[in-house]
Amino acid sequence: QSVLTQPPSASETPGQRVTISCSGSGSNIASNAVNWYQHLPGTAPKLLIYGNNRRPSGVPDRFSASTSGTSASLVISGLQSEDEADYYCASWDDSLTHVVFGGGTKVTVL
Amino acid sequence: QVQLEESGGGVVQPGGSLRLTCAASGFTFSDHAIHWVRQAPGKGLEWVALIWYDGSDKYYVGPVRGRFTISRDNAKNKVYLQMSSLTLEDTALYYCARDRSEHGGFGGAFDVWGHGTLVTVSS
């Protein structure tokens, strides 16, 4: 059981919008930055969002994120076929004194 | 270019030991904390360990604490993960990853990843 809770799957048609939630607690999301990763099978994970809502250079602005209290969300707008991947949220946990990941959400483009 | 490369994976019997190496290039290695993250077959990402940019602080996930030891040699641009008393549950693809911040490590933002090295614990 992951410390951060994500839905196991999400799906939408091309061009539409997908929202992935990440639920945590006061010792992680509410106190520390949330980061999001995209992981395609057979490749290394890719940092998609850091510091709650910042995009590294090269990440399309179709990807956006936000936090509120003990929850965070990743939004993929204008969904494209190449967005089909697993998405993970992650944050530092002050109680556990280590990084915690969500269980991952598999996004399917219908 | 900026990159990390893992090595040292393989097949080991339960109770055995293995040392993984993460070799860095293309950036000032001594400025960045390094993390190990693993993915068991069919499972999600699991953070394993962190070593501070200067080696002064180390953190571990509960199941590996006392069995795994992370270390680094900044002169060689390498981080090591010494794994002992391995169990079937340690079977996974192990990635090393660079912490994005300089002289930090608590952010959980990993901007450079290796391609992973596979550890299989099997009798």
Side-chain angles (χ1 to χ4, degrees):
Chain A
Q1 199 79 345
S2 302
V3 174
L4 304 182
T5 302
Q6 297 179 235
S9 63
S11 60
E12 194 43 273
T13 54
Q16 297 304 303
R17 171 180 161 131
V18 163
T19 300
I20 300 169
S21 62
C22 175
S23 177
S25 69
S27 62
N28 42 65
I29 291 178
S31 307
N32 298 290
V34 178
N35 311 287
W36 291 89
Y37 296 89
Q38 179 190 60
H39 193 197
L40 285 80
T43 69
K46 174 186 176 182
L47 181 63
L48 211 56
I49 298 284
Y50 69 96
N52 295 330
N53 54 17
R54 302 182 178 189
R55 281 187 308 275
S57 62
V59 174
D61 58 7
R62 304 187 292 103
F63 295 92
S64 62
S66 62
T67 61
S68 178
T70 60
S71 294
S73 295
L74 174 72
V75 175
I76 310 174
S77 304
L79 195 64
Q80 299 181 5
S81 57
E82 57 260 39
D83 298 333
E84 196 161 273
D86 295 321
Y87 292 84
Y88 295 87
C89 57
S91 182
W92 182 266
D93 189 291
D94 291 332
S95 297
L96 297 172
T97 61
H98 64 68
V99 174
V100 290
F101 278 97
T105 299
K106 183 175 183 59
V107 168
T108 301
V109 181
L110 301 171
Chain B
Q1 69 274 30
V2 176
Q3 62 180 17
L4 297 172
E5 184 173 356
E6 304 92 341
S7 61
V11 180
V12 60
Q13 292 187 335
S17 299
L18 213 54
R19 188 178 84 156
L20 306 183
T21 299
C22 172
S25 60
F27 65 97
T28 304
F29 180 70
S30 58
D31 281 347
H32 292 268
I34 299 292
H35 303 252
W36 285 95
V37 176
R38 67 184 179 184
Q39 184 174 34
K43 303 293 186 182
L45 300 176
E46 180 185 33
W47 180 90
V48 175
L50 152 69
I51 186 164
W52 219 239
Y53 65 97
D54 59 358
S56 60
D57 268 341
K58 304 170 186 180
Y59 299 86
Y60 302 90
V61 70
V64 312
R65 202 169 289 136
R67 300 188 300 120
F68 289 12
T69 301
I70 190 171
S71 62
R72 67 189 294 159
D73 184 337
N74 282 351
K76 295 183 177 180
N77 286 1
K78 291 183 177 179
V79 166
Y80 307 98
L81 187 67
Q82 179 67 47
M83 307 184 296
S84 61
S85 302
L86 286 162
T87 71
L88 300 179
E89 289 68 40
D90 296 317
T91 293
L93 183 62
Y94 284 72
Y95 296 99
C96 62
R98 185 183 83 165
D99 197 285
R100 184 184 173 280
S101 64
E102 291 186 2
H103 303 151
F106 293 152
F110 313 144
D111 64 344
V112 180
W113 295 68
H115 286 95
T117 186
L118 183 61
V119 173
T120 302
V121 184
S122 173
S123 55

